[in-house]
Amino acid sequence: MHITDSHAHLYSEQFKPDRLDALRRAQEAGVRTIVMPNVDHSTIDAMLELEAQAPETCFAMMGLHPCSVTRSFEQDLYEVETWLGRRPFAAVGEAGLDLYWDKTLLPQQQEALRIQLQMAKQHQLPIVLHTREAFAETADLVEAAQDGSLRGVFHCFSGTPEEAERAIKLGFMLGIGGVATFKNGGADKVLPGIGLEHLLLETDCPYLAPVPHRGKRNEPAYLPLILRRVAELLGKDVEEVAEATTRNAAALFNL
């Protein structure tokens, strides 16, 4: 079985002691493809180093995470643009809005997202969206920029059926992660009404580990737990869900 982890920070410092072991465990679990979002200038070197170590498995994105947006974010976006012009990437990302920690930089986050949406269109790449407590605000900006060429994924989607419908109407996919395994995660109210063609699987490791590892470090080897939960909620075979979500990721990210 071939499973794709469409969003994994496997290059992060939390994997420094056992990164290659974590990669081996992922492959043994059937996770043969891992797409890695960038965070900011500080994560680029480690991400690209891991991609070079495992070029058949790991694929890098390039973008600026909303939690890394400062009042002087333009320099970070200049570096993102420079990298996008230098070599191929799987996507622009992760970009978006995060209103969980701090709302004071919302104008800067909005402008950084507008610019990255334009980068995605310019480079004909999908964009990977982070929308923590900011789905409507993010979707508004996507809608304003959508000219028929924008595509991507609302990563770590845990919203309402109405939000899922809006994301899909915008031409975007939904990234389903460990929250789907949580007792009150809400996936049971949303996923049964969603077609497989709109879904990707992800871990968002080292964050949001699925049950029974909740609260511990997440890793790509745990993706089958998410796969099984999604298959259960959709009433489909695990193999069918694995095949469809891997096919979706390959098409979206041009893998």
Side-chain angles (χ1 to χ4, degrees):
M1 191 161 55
H2 183 153
I3 323 173
T4 296
D5 189 342
S6 65
H7 198 106
H9 302 268
L10 188 56
Y11 56 80
S12 80
E13 280 290 307
Q14 291 193 40
F15 288 102
K16 194 170 183 179
D18 64 340
R19 196 180 330 276
L20 294 182
D21 286 337
L23 187 59
R24 175 184 52 76
R25 288 191 294 270
Q27 291 169 336
E28 289 173 352
V31 181
R32 307 294 167 80
T33 305
I34 299 171
V35 192
M36 304 183 297
N38 189 50
V39 175
D40 54 35
H41 67 274
S42 70
T43 55
I44 295 173
D45 287 349
M47 178 181 67
L48 296 183
E49 181 181 343
L50 179 56
E51 184 190 54
Q53 288 177 312
E56 300 299 315
T57 302
C58 296
F59 299 87
M61 308 179 202
M62 181 53 59
L64 178 63
H65 193 291
C67 291
S68 293
V69 170
T70 64
R71 296 191 186 279
S72 55
F73 64 89
E74 292 86 353
Q75 181 58 39
D76 285 294
L77 287 184
Y78 176 77
E79 186 167 10
V80 168
E81 178 60 38
T82 299
W83 274 107
L84 288 172
R86 188 179 294 172
R87 46 147 287 176
F89 285 93
V92 173
E94 67 187 279
L97 302 177
D98 190 310
L99 300 182
Y100 180 78
W101 298 108
D102 184 4
K103 296 179 175 64
T104 60
L105 291 176
L106 177 58
Q108 289 83 358
Q109 287 191 26
Q110 289 172 316
E111 184 60 17
L113 177 54
R114 286 190 196 97
I115 292 169
Q116 290 181 91
L117 287 165
Q118 293 305 314
M119 287 178 181
K121 291 198 287 189
Q122 177 189 343
H123 292 278
Q124 299 181 315
L125 289 172
I127 186 165
V128 173
L129 297 172
H130 171 110
T131 58
R132 194 172 189 191
E133 295 198 2
F135 178 87
E137 294 87 345
T138 306
D140 287 346
L141 291 178
V142 173
E143 191 168 21
Q146 182 58 279
D147 59 2
S149 67
L150 263 179
R151 56 204 172 91
V153 55
F154 282 82
H155 118 80
C156 196
F157 183 81
S158 58
T160 65
E162 293 75 22
E163 289 170 339
E165 183 180 356
R166 186 177 185 193
I168 290 168
K169 282 185 176 178
L170 285 169
F172 277 63
M173 309 199 81
L174 308 177
I176 307 300
V179 174
T181 70
F182 297 174
K183 184 177 180 181
N184 297 313
D188 57 322
K189 298 177 178 63
V190 178
L191 285 184
I194 304 294
L196 253 181
E197 67 273 18
H198 302 301
L199 301 179
L200 301 178
L201 300 180
E202 62 170 72
T203 58
D204 196 21
C205 70
Y207 317 107
L208 295 174
V211 174
H213 306 288
R214 187 174 181 179
K216 299 176 183 176
R217 187 191 74 173
N218 198 4
E219 61 176 85
Y222 297 160
L223 193 62
L225 296 166
I226 299 165
L227 166 64
R228 286 199 286 273
R229 176 61 171 159
V230 171
E232 174 190 343
L233 291 173
L234 294 177
K236 296 187 179 296
D237 291 336
V238 167
E239 291 79 6
E240 182 183 357
V241 175
E243 181 182 342
T245 53
T246 287
R247 184 171 61 245
N248 294 344
L252 182 66
F253 298 118
N254 194 30
L255 301 177

